[in-house]
Amino acid sequence: MRRTRSRTTAGATAVTALAALLAVPATGGTARAAEPEQLTIDLGTDTGAFHGGASGSLYGVYGDGVPSRNILEGMHVRTVSTKAQDGPQHPGADALEMLPPFVDSGGKDVYVYMTDIYRGFPYQWPGSDGPARLADFKEKIRKQVQQVLTLDNTYKDHVVYVPFNEPEGNMFGTGEWSYNKVSWLNDPQYYFSAWKEVYHLIKGLDPDARIAGPNTSVLYDQVRGFLQYAKANDVVPDVMTWHELSSPAAVRTNVAKYRQMEKDVGVGPLPVNVNEYGHNYHLSVPGQVVQWVSAIEESKIDADLAYWNIDGNLNDSAVEANKGNGQWWLFNAYGQMSGHTVEVTAPRPNQQYTLQGVATLDEDKKQSRAIFGGKGGDADVVFRNIDPALFGKAVHATVQEIPWTGQVGDSAQPLRLADRELAVGADGAVTLPMTGMNEMSAYQIILSPGGHGALPAEPSVSWRRTYEAENATYTGGGYSKNGPEGTPSNVGGFATSGTYNVGGLRTGSDGVLGFDVDVPQDGTYDLSVFANSYNLYDLVKEQGPTNVFLRVDGADPQELSLPLGYKWVVWGHTDTTVKLTAGKHRITLAAKDPDLGVTKGDAIIDKVDLSLRDAHVTAPAVYEAEYATLAGTRPVYTRPGASGPGAVPLAKGDSATFWVHSPADGESTVYVDHLGGGRASLSLNGEKLDVPKAGGDRKGSDRVRVFLSGGINKITVTGVSRTLLLDRLRVTRSSGTLTTKVYQAEDGRLTGAAKVTDAYTFASGGRAVTDIGDGRANALTVDVVADRAGRHAVTIRYSNAEQPPATHYNPDPIARHADLSVNGGPARRVLFPTTFHFNNFWELTVPLTLKKGTNRLTFTAEELPDFNGDTYNQYDQRSPYAPVIDRVAVTPLAEMRPA
């Protein structure tokens, strides 16, 4: 259900304390004075096979590449609800176009909202009366099913038809566009008859079809009558669906209520998909969403995140095409759970905005995982009934934090807070005291067998602090303190750290926002400014990203470009570094600078995060093999010399897959640390790398230079001979081995209407190429040189802000495409997500095979017709144009050298 949400000046609460650190472990279940809240995980109580159903999405996939397949697979997206093919509700998200990449990325089912073949909400189905409207709809349903039947079974079998969406308030409600202005909640005969007709129509065309319903906005008591009618007329849906725009507590309560309805009526049990859940206040916030995940997993159902904003970003999980925010990493952790769930007792069971969690035990892997959050401050996490036959007398605990990074803010991999051995008490329990937790963060604990000499790993960050903008000092004119933003009583508002933010840095302002900080030692510090500019606001439309000026104690000026968003209070972050001496400093953000210029645009500031950039941060990121996604193998924990609790044996065909973060497109070094025994091949983002095999007879480390895309990268290590004992991957940014060659688009050959423009000041050199497409004659051709034949990373710096008018509150940006051909070969269609402004440039990398020497890359575009090829979208929702292209960079994909 997509209801209008009015913007308030409001955000969510967050703690500013240092994130949770694991205190010295206590053995057993011994009580302490002033005992904090306790989350208890009983490893001895099996609550069912792990399901993974909370990682669903409504309108979350635009098409192949938006988001990338890495993002889809790494988030373990299980179900997607989306529009009918060629429906005019929103640009993109066409069921049969997103189906193949979704299924190929491990997805289970695509729920097709057949009603979204109509424009508007409520649906504007034509006809002089109810029967005429239903007749028109049935013809459109017939066409949809016939289109699905043209697909290979590999994809067709993943389709679930949803004939009606929220029928009680829409087609069979009381409004202008209803069947006859009679709500089925009061008089169900008309809806029930329509359901029966449509059910038989679909099953008549495809007897194997699965049909879902009734898809009500809530689980009404009248659903019982629907089940009774469906059973009596042999039209019971294959999947039961409804929406939970309520609370996690309602999920548990209503699933139990529905299961009782089934028993009373004598149907089922049916699979359930709650195919819309959550609110703006929750989405993107790991500490909020984990509470929903807990309830959904406990109920063993599927569920799809609600669609309040733009499509194609997995409901505020994906950033750009290939990056993930904190919510993405939460689902990455959730999707890597395995085995069976175990009983979790929260300090305030089933109460939203308190500490909640979900946990699993995998006896084969000898591993337990728990994810939890929703509370700031301190709490004890207690694992009980730890089986000594699985874990021994000690466990190895890795504790991670998944911070909130905003809706459009990229996030690195979870922070390692602690990694150490814990003695299991005589009562079979261990207690992990968590201190200083942030209520916007989620946390993960992984338990493995201990006592085998593993060395504890250091935390990812040794010192960090958050400084709220509303507590900073503002001088000059134009100041505004905005908020409270989203809160538990205003779930339509967006989450905001500290619930308030500050405005005033805008065109014509003399405002200065000063943060007083106190740091522990001399050094370089990472600084993240959480900010937002609404891309369609008048002052922002002029330039795009709002520029502001940073100084430390009045010196060392820097110009920062702040992130754009699709609405106000949609947060991203701009990152830089500052050099500070131990002690107190004032860091200022100003709307003008005597040396650098003046601000253009308008921005609001939420907070700044400051962290010491020491050896904890600059060391390579560590990805333990025993925590990876494994196929055909399981960890071993008794091998001395492993870096963590264990290692993973990779016989021929066995694999370990790692989800690796890169802050930007470019070269990185991957160290494959192993204990010897065999050899293994490497693949990157699904492509086998043309590099020597890793491994050998003895313990060692193989160094591979690879091109990583900004954001999420899938690295898979697969055994090829004997059995390699894989210890871990270590990954760090590097340079100098994989040579990048850069080509400015304006230096290429232009044909037709394609032309050079100097309208976009943030293009490199101030020039870019526009008007590519609207026919293949309007093209850009760039000749690039490869020093050797093989796979290369082609990185395109582009901008795209095309956005047609919408009929609802969802912004409707379009993902433009380019048809890219190499040396005159078949064109490959590449989708480019919105950058929110044509003067805001992002990078997108495409792997291509190049020959040695000169290669000709040609970019063009033309509008795609509808699925049958006989019509075109009449609402300008399929662009005929490629994005604005600034430059093209070419880099070899990989090179391996001995460490």
Side-chain angles (χ1 to χ4, degrees):
M1 176 165 57
R2 300 181 290 281
R3 299 189 182 97
T4 301
R5 293 289 190 253
S6 59
R7 179 184 179 266
T8 65
T9 55
T13 305
V15 250
T16 59
L18 182 64
L21 293 174
L22 181 62
V24 175
T27 60
T30 307
R32 305 197 309 273
E35 191 168 306
E37 290 188 342
Q38 189 174 96
L39 185 79
T40 302
I41 298 166
D42 183 357
L43 298 186
T45 304
D46 183 340
T47 59
F50 174 70
H51 185 66
S55 57
S57 174
L58 173 65
Y59 269 90
V61 183
Y62 190 104
D64 195 0
V66 180
S68 72
R69 296 192 180 199
N70 286 347
I71 289 291
L72 278 173
E73 185 179 352
M75 188 169 154
H76 304 275
V77 182
R78 180 176 167 89
T79 58
V80 167
S81 296
T82 198
K83 76 176 187 183
Q85 178 67 34
D86 305 326
Q89 278 280 310
H90 307 279
D94 294 86
L96 305 190
E97 292 171 35
M98 54 73 55
L99 178 65
F102 171 71
V103 172
D104 292 348
S105 302
K108 181 178 182 290
D109 287 325
V110 171
Y111 287 74
V112 180
Y113 274 32
M114 306 185 88
T115 46
D116 286 19
I117 199 67
Y118 293 115
R119 182 74 166 163
F121 189 83
Y123 302 111
Q124 298 166 6
W125 53 340
S128 57
D129 57 17
R133 288 178 168 178
L134 183 60
D136 181 82
F137 186 36
K138 287 170 65 177
E139 284 307 306
K140 289 179 168 55
I141 286 175
R142 180 183 299 276
K143 184 175 181 179
Q144 291 180 52
V145 177
Q146 289 171 338
Q147 289 174 339
V148 171
L149 289 172
T150 67
L151 302 178
D152 183 271
N153 287 346
T154 303
Y155 301 122
K156 180 178 75 69
D157 291 346
H158 293 268
V159 171
V160 182
Y161 297 102
V162 184
F164 299 100
N165 178 37
E166 300 184 357
E168 78 289 348
N170 205 309
M171 288 177 159
F172 292 88
T174 59
E176 173 189 0
W177 291 99
S178 70
Y179 181 86
N180 59 0
K181 297 184 171 57
V182 176
S183 172
W184 80 267
L185 298 178
N186 299 323
D187 183 355
Q189 61 175 310
Y190 305 105
Y191 170 62
F192 287 177
S193 176
W195 171 267
K196 182 178 178 180
E197 288 185 47
V198 168
Y199 184 98
H200 285 309
L201 172 62
I202 295 171
K203 293 282 190 177
L205 293 168
D206 181 4
D208 296 325
R210 286 180 291 155
I211 301 174
N215 227 62
T216 48
S217 59
V218 299
L219 184 69
Y220 292 102
D221 291 338
Q222 288 88 337
V223 170
R224 182 191 304 270
F226 170 79
L227 289 174
Q228 291 170 334
Y229 175 87
K231 179 184 180 184
N233 290 273
D234 197 23
V235 289
V236 176
D238 299 282
V239 183
M240 174 58 62
T241 56
W242 72 87
H243 302 160
E244 286 292 354
L245 301 175
S246 50
S247 70
V251 171
R252 292 182 174 95
T253 300
N254 284 334
V255 170
K257 177 181 176 181
Y258 168 70
R259 293 302 185 199
Q260 188 59 50
M261 287 183 186
E262 285 184 327
K263 290 179 181 178
D264 294 343
V265 174
V267 299
L270 301 175
V272 170
N273 189 343
V274 170
N275 51 6
E276 294 189 32
Y277 79 87
H279 296 275
N280 268 332
Y281 176 53
H282 308 134
L283 299 190
S284 87
V285 185
Q288 296 285 355
V289 175
V290 73
Q291 299 171 62
W292 289 90
V293 170
S294 172
I296 291 163
E297 181 60 38
E298 183 179 315
S299 301
K300 303 303 180 186
I301 62 171
D302 291 333
D304 299 345
L305 293 159
Y307 169 45
W308 299 117
N309 299 305
I310 63 175
D311 67 350
N313 73 350
L314 291 172
N315 314 90
D316 294 326
S317 304
V319 178
E320 301 180 21
N322 190 56
K323 298 176 180 178
N325 60 15
Q327 179 170 279
W328 186 92
W329 284 103
L330 169 66
F331 282 108
N332 177 259
Y334 171 61
Q336 291 190 79
M337 288 179 150
S338 58
H340 61 83
T341 52
V342 295
E343 184 177 75
V344 176
T345 303
R348 301 177 191 177
N350 208 24
Q351 183 176 333
Q352 196 170 5
Y353 311 117
T354 66
L355 185 62
Q356 305 289 327
V358 61
T360 56
L361 175 64
D362 188 326
E363 282 96 346
D364 289 338
K365 293 176 72 174
K366 297 183 179 181
Q367 196 172 95
S368 175
R369 294 184 182 230
I371 53 175
F372 55 94
K375 167 194 161 57
D378 302 343
D380 285 349
V381 178
V382 181
F383 288 82
R384 298 196 181 280
N385 291 315
I386 297 172
D387 186 352
L390 291 177
F391 291 95
K393 296 180 179 179
V395 293
H396 189 102
T398 297
V399 185
Q400 299 173 334
E401 180 182 358
I402 305 171
W404 175 68
T405 56
Q407 292 85 354
V408 295
D410 179 32
S411 175
Q413 67 273 16
L415 295 169
R416 185 174 57 252
L417 302 180
D419 181 86
R420 63 184 61 188
E421 302 270 289
L422 306 171
V424 179
D427 57 357
V430 294
T431 298
L432 288 80
M434 304 288 295
T435 61
M437 289 191 297
N438 187 318
E439 66 183 13
M440 299 184 83
S441 295
Y443 296 86
Q444 175 172 231
I445 295 175
I446 305 176
L447 289 190
S448 305
H452 302 294
L455 296 176
E458 293 295 321
S460 301
V461 180
S462 59
W463 184 93
R464 55 191 168 125
R465 289 289 187 275
T466 290
Y467 300 90
E468 299 290 346
E470 61 269 27
N471 297 330
T473 301
Y474 189 96
T475 57
Y479 174 80
S480 65
K481 179 181 176 181
N482 309 310
E485 303 287 1
T487 64
S489 60
N490 175 30
V491 293
F494 289 107
T496 300
S497 178
T499 69
Y500 291 88
N501 59 79
V502 168
L505 305 182
R506 62 177 66 94
T507 301
S509 169
D510 61 351
V512 179
L513 186 63
F515 296 86
D516 293 321
V517 305
D518 192 348
V519 300
Q521 66 185 67
D522 297 357
T524 299
Y525 288 79
D526 288 317
L527 178 69
S528 290
V529 179
F530 278 66
N532 162 250
S533 292
Y534 174 37
N535 66 322
L536 298 184
Y537 188 64
D538 284 344
L539 290 179
V540 178
K541 284 194 292 185
E542 179 184 356
Q543 175 177 269
T546 299
N547 60 314
V548 298
F549 306 95
L550 180 147
R551 285 182 178 249
V552 177
D553 300 326
D556 304 321
Q558 299 184 42
E559 184 174 10
L560 303 180
S561 292
L562 300 182
L564 297 171
Y566 47 77
K567 296 177 183 176
W568 282 116
V569 202
V570 169
W571 302 108
H573 53 85
T574 295
D575 305 325
T576 188
T577 59
V578 293
K579 292 187 180 298
L580 302 173
T581 56
K584 297 181 179 179
H585 300 273
R586 173 161 284 193
I587 296 174
T588 56
L589 300 174
K592 62 180 182 179
D593 188 276
D595 298 328
L596 300 181
V598 298
T599 288
K600 293 182 181 178
D602 195 353
I604 51 177
I605 311 296
D606 183 20
K607 64 170 183 171
V608 298
D609 285 346
L610 196 64
S611 60
L612 177 63
R613 189 172 183 79
D614 59 6
H616 292 262
V617 175
T618 59
V622 174
Y623 300 87
E624 293 288 353
E626 56 271 30
Y627 300 158
T629 300
L630 306 179
T633 185
R634 63 189 65 171
V636 293
Y637 299 100
T638 58
R639 300 298 178 95
S643 68
V648 172
L650 296 178
K652 185 176 181 180
D654 297 345
S655 66
T657 294
F658 303 83
W659 300 101
V660 172
H661 176 262
S662 176
D665 294 81
E667 180 186 311
S668 287
T669 298
V670 176
Y671 298 93
V672 183
D673 296 340
H674 59 84
L675 304 180
R679 299 269 179 190
S681 63
L682 299 177
S683 66
L684 173 64
N685 301 328
E687 299 201 19
K688 187 175 180 180
L689 296 178
D690 185 18
V691 297
K693 303 296 185 291
D697 293 330
R698 299 180 180 179
K699 177 180 178 180
S701 181
D702 293 296
R703 186 180 70 189
V704 191
R705 309 289 196 196
V706 296
F707 184 100
L708 296 185
S709 296
I712 307 301
N713 295 267
K714 176 187 175 184
I715 298 180
T716 301
V717 185
T718 304
V720 294
S721 65
R722 293 180 290 144
T723 299
L724 177 68
L725 196 56
L726 181 65
D727 186 10
R728 63 182 179 180
L729 299 187
R730 290 176 295 132
V731 183
T732 188
R733 295 278 288 171
S734 58
S735 61
T737 298
L738 304 178
T739 303
T740 298
K741 297 179 181 179
V742 179
Y743 304 86
Q744 296 297 327
E746 61 269 23
D747 295 334
R749 184 168 66 91
L750 308 180
T751 57
K755 64 178 183 291
V756 176
T757 178
D758 58 5
Y760 306 126
T761 56
F762 289 130
S764 54
R767 296 197 300 166
V769 174
T770 189
D771 292 340
I772 303 166
D774 198 21
R776 296 188 177 276
N778 308 312
L780 164 68
T781 300
V782 180
D783 288 339
V784 303
V785 176
D787 292 334
R788 64 174 188 264
R791 297 295 274 172
H792 286 71
V794 175
T795 303
I796 303 155
R797 189 169 190 261
Y798 78 97
S799 69
N800 166 33
E802 187 170 353
Q803 184 169 321
T807 61
H808 31 68
Y809 66 87
N810 297 90
D812 271 350
I814 286 177
R816 286 188 169 187
H817 71 275
D819 293 325
L820 171 57
S821 67
V822 180
N823 299 322
R828 169 182 176 177
R829 177 147 293 184
V830 181
L831 285 181
F832 295 82
T834 180
T835 64
F836 302 119
H837 196 284
F838 279 113
N839 199 27
N840 190 39
F841 289 86
W842 292 347
E843 291 188 335
L844 187 145
T845 292
V846 181
L848 295 175
T849 299
L850 302 180
K851 65 182 183 181
K852 183 177 181 180
T854 301
N855 295 262
R856 178 154 291 178
L857 307 183
T858 302
F859 299 84
T860 186
E862 59 185 354
E863 184 177 355
L864 270 180
D866 292 333
F867 185 85
N868 289 6
D870 53 354
T871 56
Y872 286 83
N873 184 281
Q874 59 182 311
Y875 299 102
D876 297 324
Q877 292 175 320
R878 289 185 184 271
S879 178
Y881 290 102
V884 173
I885 296 180
D886 177 24
R887 68 181 182 221
V888 176
V890 178
T891 313
L893 201 58
E895 180 176 285
M896 175 182 274
R897 294 179 179 179

